[in-house]
mmCIF file of all heavy atoms in Angstrom:
data_model
loop_
_atom_site.group_PDB
_atom_site.id
_atom_site.type_symbol
_atom_site.label_atom_id
_atom_site.label_comp_id
_atom_site.label_asym_id
_atom_site.label_seq_id
_atom_site.Cartn_x
_atom_site.Cartn_y
_atom_site.Cartn_z
ATOM 1 N N ASP A 402 -11.128 54.160 14.191
ATOM 2 C CA ASP A 402 -11.528 55.276 15.052
ATOM 3 C C ASP A 402 -10.798 56.556 14.680
ATOM 4 O O ASP A 402 -10.859 57.544 15.416
ATOM 5 C CB ASP A 402 -11.307 54.924 16.528
ATOM 6 C CG ASP A 402 -9.840 54.613 16.839
ATOM 7 O OD1 ASP A 402 -8.971 54.858 15.970
ATOM 8 O OD2 ASP A 402 -9.569 54.121 17.940
ATOM 9 N N GLY A 403 -10.091 56.524 13.547
ATOM 10 C CA GLY A 403 -9.444 57.738 13.063
ATOM 11 C C GLY A 403 -8.008 57.901 13.508
ATOM 12 O O GLY A 403 -7.270 58.716 12.953
ATOM 13 N N ARG A 404 -7.603 57.112 14.503
ATOM 14 C CA ARG A 404 -6.233 57.259 14.968
ATOM 15 C C ARG A 404 -5.242 56.630 13.996
ATOM 16 O O ARG A 404 -5.600 55.763 13.195
ATOM 17 C CB ARG A 404 -6.073 56.627 16.357
ATOM 18 C CG ARG A 404 -6.563 57.562 17.449
ATOM 19 C CD ARG A 404 -6.464 56.920 18.803
ATOM 20 N NE ARG A 404 -7.475 55.879 18.946
ATOM 21 C CZ ARG A 404 -7.722 55.249 20.101
ATOM 22 N NH1 ARG A 404 -7.020 55.549 21.172
ATOM 23 N NH2 ARG A 404 -8.657 54.336 20.165
ATOM 24 N N GLN A 405 -4.009 57.112 14.065
ATOM 25 C CA GLN A 405 -2.932 56.520 13.269
ATOM 26 C C GLN A 405 -1.797 56.125 14.199
ATOM 27 O O GLN A 405 -1.467 56.852 15.134
ATOM 28 C CB GLN A 405 -2.396 57.529 12.250
ATOM 29 C CG GLN A 405 -3.396 57.894 11.185
ATOM 30 C CD GLN A 405 -2.804 58.878 10.178
ATOM 31 O OE1 GLN A 405 -1.597 59.001 10.076
ATOM 32 N NE2 GLN A 405 -3.674 59.566 9.453
ATOM 33 N N ILE A 406 -1.230 54.952 13.950
ATOM 34 C CA ILE A 406 -0.095 54.496 14.754
ATOM 35 C C ILE A 406 1.086 54.278 13.818
ATOM 36 O O ILE A 406 0.985 53.503 12.868
ATOM 37 C CB ILE A 406 -0.386 53.168 15.467
ATOM 38 C CG1 ILE A 406 -1.765 53.178 16.137
ATOM 39 C CG2 ILE A 406 0.703 52.853 16.480
ATOM 40 C CD1 ILE A 406 -2.203 51.817 16.650
ATOM 41 N N LYS A 407 2.179 54.976 14.100
ATOM 42 C CA LYS A 407 3.405 54.722 13.336
ATOM 43 C C LYS A 407 4.174 53.596 14.005
ATOM 44 O O LYS A 407 4.377 53.612 15.218
ATOM 45 C CB LYS A 407 4.268 55.986 13.275
ATOM 46 C CG LYS A 407 3.717 56.986 12.286
ATOM 47 C CD LYS A 407 4.706 58.064 11.948
ATOM 48 C CE LYS A 407 4.040 59.059 10.992
ATOM 49 N NZ LYS A 407 4.595 60.417 11.127
ATOM 50 N N THR A 408 4.605 52.650 13.206
ATOM 51 C CA THR A 408 5.235 51.472 13.803
ATOM 52 C C THR A 408 6.274 50.865 12.874
ATOM 53 O O THR A 408 6.297 51.153 11.657
ATOM 54 C CB THR A 408 4.162 50.432 14.171
ATOM 55 O OG1 THR A 408 4.746 49.448 15.016
ATOM 56 C CG2 THR A 408 3.582 49.760 12.921
ATOM 57 N N ASP A 409 7.120 50.016 13.464
ATOM 58 C CA ASP A 409 8.168 49.337 12.699
ATOM 59 C C ASP A 409 7.745 47.944 12.247
ATOM 60 O O ASP A 409 8.369 47.349 11.375
ATOM 61 C CB ASP A 409 9.430 49.189 13.560
ATOM 62 C CG ASP A 409 9.919 50.516 14.102
ATOM 63 O OD1 ASP A 409 10.000 51.477 13.309
ATOM 64 O OD2 ASP A 409 10.192 50.610 15.314
ATOM 65 N N LEU A 410 6.714 47.424 12.908
ATOM 66 C CA LEU A 410 6.391 46.013 12.716
ATOM 67 C C LEU A 410 4.914 45.802 13.046
ATOM 68 O O LEU A 410 4.429 46.306 14.057
ATOM 69 C CB LEU A 410 7.258 45.169 13.682
ATOM 70 C CG LEU A 410 6.928 43.709 13.888
ATOM 71 C CD1 LEU A 410 7.086 42.926 12.587
ATOM 72 C CD2 LEU A 410 7.835 43.111 14.981
ATOM 73 N N VAL A 411 4.223 45.095 12.176
ATOM 74 C CA VAL A 411 2.825 44.736 12.445
ATOM 75 C C VAL A 411 2.717 43.217 12.490
ATOM 76 O O VAL A 411 3.177 42.530 11.569
ATOM 77 C CB VAL A 411 1.882 45.298 11.363
ATOM 78 C CG1 VAL A 411 0.449 44.797 11.594
ATOM 79 C CG2 VAL A 411 1.903 46.830 11.357
ATOM 80 N N ILE A 412 2.161 42.715 13.585
ATOM 81 C CA ILE A 412 1.879 41.275 13.678
ATOM 82 C C ILE A 412 0.387 41.088 13.412
ATOM 83 O O ILE A 412 -0.455 41.635 14.123
ATOM 84 C CB ILE A 412 2.219 40.724 15.079
ATOM 85 C CG1 ILE A 412 3.688 40.944 15.412
ATOM 86 C CG2 ILE A 412 1.815 39.253 15.183
ATOM 87 C CD1 ILE A 412 4.664 40.180 14.546
ATOM 88 N N MET A 413 0.081 40.334 12.376
ATOM 89 C CA MET A 413 -1.318 40.036 12.056
ATOM 90 C C MET A 413 -1.686 38.726 12.718
ATOM 91 O O MET A 413 -1.148 37.672 12.363
ATOM 92 C CB MET A 413 -1.461 39.878 10.543
ATOM 93 C CG MET A 413 -1.297 41.174 9.800
ATOM 94 S SD MET A 413 -2.784 42.190 9.984
ATOM 95 C CE MET A 413 -3.695 41.547 8.608
ATOM 96 N N ALA A 414 -2.580 38.809 13.668
ATOM 97 C CA ALA A 414 -3.003 37.600 14.390
ATOM 98 C C ALA A 414 -4.521 37.641 14.520
ATOM 99 O O ALA A 414 -5.066 37.610 15.616
ATOM 100 C CB ALA A 414 -2.312 37.539 15.756
ATOM 101 N N VAL A 415 -5.169 37.753 13.370
ATOM 102 C CA VAL A 415 -6.635 37.939 13.374
ATOM 103 C C VAL A 415 -7.365 36.620 13.125
ATOM 104 O O VAL A 415 -8.560 36.615 12.857
ATOM 105 C CB VAL A 415 -7.061 38.996 12.337
ATOM 106 C CG1 VAL A 415 -6.503 40.351 12.730
ATOM 107 C CG2 VAL A 415 -6.607 38.620 10.931
ATOM 108 N N GLY A 416 -6.656 35.538 13.262
ATOM 109 C CA GLY A 416 -7.317 34.255 13.131
ATOM 110 C C GLY A 416 -6.832 33.473 11.937
ATOM 111 O O GLY A 416 -5.971 33.926 11.183
ATOM 112 N N VAL A 417 -7.375 32.286 11.799
ATOM 113 C CA VAL A 417 -6.978 31.396 10.703
ATOM 114 C C VAL A 417 -8.224 30.853 10.024
ATOM 115 O O VAL A 417 -9.323 30.929 10.556
ATOM 116 C CB VAL A 417 -6.122 30.214 11.224
ATOM 117 C CG1 VAL A 417 -4.819 30.716 11.833
ATOM 118 C CG2 VAL A 417 -6.897 29.362 12.218
#
Side-chain angles (χ1 to χ4, degrees):
Chain A
D402 60 10
R404 279 177 288 188
Q405 293 181 19
I406 314 170
K407 284 195 182 151
T408 193
D409 305 313
L410 168 63
V411 175
I412 301 294
M413 290 285 272
V415 295
V417 297

